[in-house]
Amino acid sequence: MKFETKLIHAGIKPDASTGAIMTPIFQTSTYVQNKPGDHLGFQYARSQNPTRTILQENLAALEKARYGICFSSGMAAIDAVLRLLEPGEEVIATYDLYGGSYRLMTKLFEKYGIKMHFIDLSNEDELNKALNQKTRLVWVESPTNPMLNIIDIKKVAQSVAEDVLVCVDNTFASPYLQTPMDLGADIVMHSATKYLGGHSDVIHGCLMVNDKTLADQLYFIQNAVGAVPGPQDCFLILRGIKTLHVRMDRACENAAFIAKKLQNFEQINKVYYPGLSSHPRHDLAAAQMRDFGAMISFDLKDDSLEKAKKILSNTHFFSLAESLGGVESLIGHPATMTHSTIPKAEREKIGLTDSLIRLSVGIENKDDLWNDLRQAIES
Ligand SMILES: *Cc1c(COP(=O)(O)O)cnc(C)c1O
């Protein structure tokens, strides 16, 4: 199956008992057994749920993996990966990663004796310096948030020893634009809350792996910890996935249009979008991704909080909100919203200035979107 067909058919069969074409929502906590141990493969709904099983098979196919493991949120999926580690082992992660991932790693897992190194993963020397005997996991995001850096996933995977796990948070790209398994990743992680769900109506996370032993360890954690998604949430993700390709095509087209408009606008300082030829890693993005995604960041010549706030409160179609990846466009302010816990000096080192604004471009009409943004910037 080609990718677009997989979205709609991989792992999905009409319901055996009724022929329902849509996967039923099995809203049940337990399953009746004929005799002790004589059951249909389902015992208790934390351990197995048919709606979830079908979603897991579909997700695995999208990321060219053999196993999918679903969680109640993206953070719960990341938590499960970190639980693979023993005290004393070490993690290397990109320094400009999702704020929630940074918080989980530093505020919880460091407490449990796991050491974190946050480095510029696009710099091979830095990676080689950070790697040592205790390294167990390398955590990659590409494109990164909110600076839209691109990391060479293949190079990272080739740089680490066999027993070091490479996990890619593929949330920003979605499996339509990038399949890290092809580039040597061991684990692919998604906040399915974003592009996979696509309609801003559900929180969900997942992991995809090829190795049977690793899959069994993660299924064990899924069941032992119990951060599992409900069947209604699994249904919503299954439904969202069916249109991923058409939503993504339109969102990427809109984003490319807006990035170019912003680049030529006099009040703008810098535009961060991998699809612009001015992006330092444009060629790598073109090789590693099918298209450049629908996330854009930009900052202003007048680098003040006041000016940024004015723009943020004057858009109409771009709603001021955290999150991304829905059909509707969102606008956000990393310095005061998603990345406010990072000290200003640290932020500015990576270009995250006070006036930096992040856009999640949706699938509305692109002229409406640009006119909305332009009048807010001019306001
Ligand atoms: C949103 C997000 C997460 C966390 O996922 P939740 O579903 O909100 O728990 C992790 N990584 C990235 C890149 C995200 O955008």
Side-chain angles (χ1 to χ4, degrees):
M1 276 187 262
K2 299 272 194 297
F3 185 83
E4 295 81 351
T5 310
K6 279 190 196 171
L7 287 171
I8 292 157
H9 294 290
I12 299 169
K13 289 177 216 75
D15 175 48
S17 60
T18 62
I21 190 164
M22 285 300 125
T23 306
I25 299 165
F26 285 91
Q27 193 74 54
T28 188
S29 64
T30 193
Y31 309 88
V32 177
Q33 309 192 6
N34 290 323
K35 293 195 291 273
D38 177 8
H39 52 73
L40 301 167
F42 297 92
Q43 291 157 277
Y44 184 63
R46 172 165 29 76
S47 318
Q48 309 99 359
N49 178 284
T51 316
R52 190 175 95 202
T53 302
I54 288 175
L55 174 59
Q56 290 184 157
E57 284 173 20
N58 182 250
L59 285 166
L62 302 187
E63 285 290 2
K64 301 189 183 172
R66 286 165 64 204
Y67 306 98
I69 308 112
C70 288
F71 296 89
S72 54
S73 69
M75 290 319 305
I78 299 173
D79 173 77
V81 175
L82 294 169
R83 280 174 197 267
L84 294 168
L85 277 71
E86 304 282 340
E89 292 184 327
E90 301 189 2
V91 179
I92 298 172
T94 52
Y95 60 86
D96 58 339
L97 84 168
Y98 180 71
S101 312
Y102 181 82
R103 180 176 57 197
L104 178 64
M105 289 173 184
T106 55
K107 300 279 190 230
L108 286 175
F109 280 88
E110 281 197 334
K111 200 169 75 175
Y112 308 146
I114 290 159
K115 191 166 177 205
M116 307 290 165
H117 301 270
F118 298 98
I119 65 161
D120 176 3
L121 265 184
S122 60
N123 181 328
E124 239 175 308
D125 291 341
E126 277 197 41
L127 175 58
N128 289 329
K129 237 191 279 167
L131 282 166
N132 66 54
Q133 294 293 315
K134 293 181 183 148
T135 310
R136 177 76 202 289
L137 173 69
V138 178
W139 191 269
V140 183
E141 258 182 48
S142 184
T144 64
N145 175 29
M147 302 314 298
L148 283 311
N149 281 330
I150 303 292
I151 289 164
D152 192 333
I153 298 170
K154 200 189 239 170
K155 211 177 230 174
V156 170
Q158 285 169 349
S159 302
V160 306
E162 187 83 31
D163 60 343
V164 174
L165 295 170
V166 173
C167 180
V168 177
D169 180 340
N170 205 26
T171 302
F172 266 41
S174 88
Y176 181 50
L177 301 187
Q178 175 172 284
T179 38
M181 287 291 173
D182 287 337
L183 306 166
D186 300 292
I187 308 174
V188 178
M189 174 262 152
H190 278 280
S191 167
T193 310
K194 316 294 168 52
Y195 287 106
L196 290 171
H199 295 76
S200 309
D201 52 9
V202 58
I203 299 283
H204 189 104
C206 55
L207 301 173
M208 282 69 101
V209 300
N210 264 323
D211 182 74
K212 170 88 167 68
T213 309
L214 188 54
D216 286 343
Q217 287 171 334
L218 291 167
Y219 285 126
F220 176 84
I221 293 170
Q222 181 193 41
N223 184 48
V225 176
V228 293
Q232 168 93 22
D233 291 353
C234 292
F235 172 86
L236 287 170
I237 300 297
L238 274 166
R239 185 163 82 163
I241 283 173
K242 293 178 199 295
T243 55
L244 177 68
H245 53 320
V246 285
R247 285 187 281 110
M248 223 47 205
D249 278 344
R250 181 60 62 86
C252 290
E253 180 191 326
N254 285 354
F257 175 80
I258 286 170
K260 282 198 193 102
K261 290 282 190 192
L262 282 169
Q263 196 177 34
N264 298 321
F265 208 60
E266 54 169 322
Q267 305 194 34
I268 305 299
N269 177 41
K270 257 185 148 169
V271 182
Y272 300 89
Y273 182 65
L276 293 173
S277 54
S278 58
H279 189 285
R281 300 215 138 201
H282 173 69
D283 292 343
L284 173 61
Q288 188 164 278
M289 302 172 75
R290 181 201 285 249
D291 201 338
F292 302 102
M295 299 300 296
I296 304 172
S297 292
F298 65 95
D299 65 2
L300 308 168
K301 284 184 183 146
D302 170 9
D303 183 42
S304 68
L305 268 180
E306 295 68 52
K307 178 66 190 172
K309 279 187 180 155
K310 208 161 199 179
I311 296 175
L312 292 156
S313 43
N314 275 295
T315 52
H316 180 65
F317 298 126
F318 281 93
S319 303
L320 177 61
E322 293 193 12
S323 200
L324 62 117
V327 290
E328 54 283 299
S329 295
L330 300 182
I331 189 165
H333 189 231
T336 58
M337 295 167 75
T338 46
H339 292 67
S340 59
T341 52
I342 305 174
K344 185 175 157 90
E346 287 298 308
R347 272 195 271 118
E348 297 202 330
K349 256 192 240 164
I350 61 166
L352 204 168
T353 53
D354 277 349
S355 69
L356 190 89
I357 288 171
R358 190 189 82 173
L359 304 175
S360 169
V361 181
I363 63 171
E364 301 94 334
N365 177 278
K366 61 179 187 252
D367 294 313
D368 283 345
L369 289 180
W370 170 242
N371 288 334
D372 184 35
L373 200 55
R374 192 187 52 190
Q375 64 76 30
I377 296 169
E378 284 171 341
S379 68

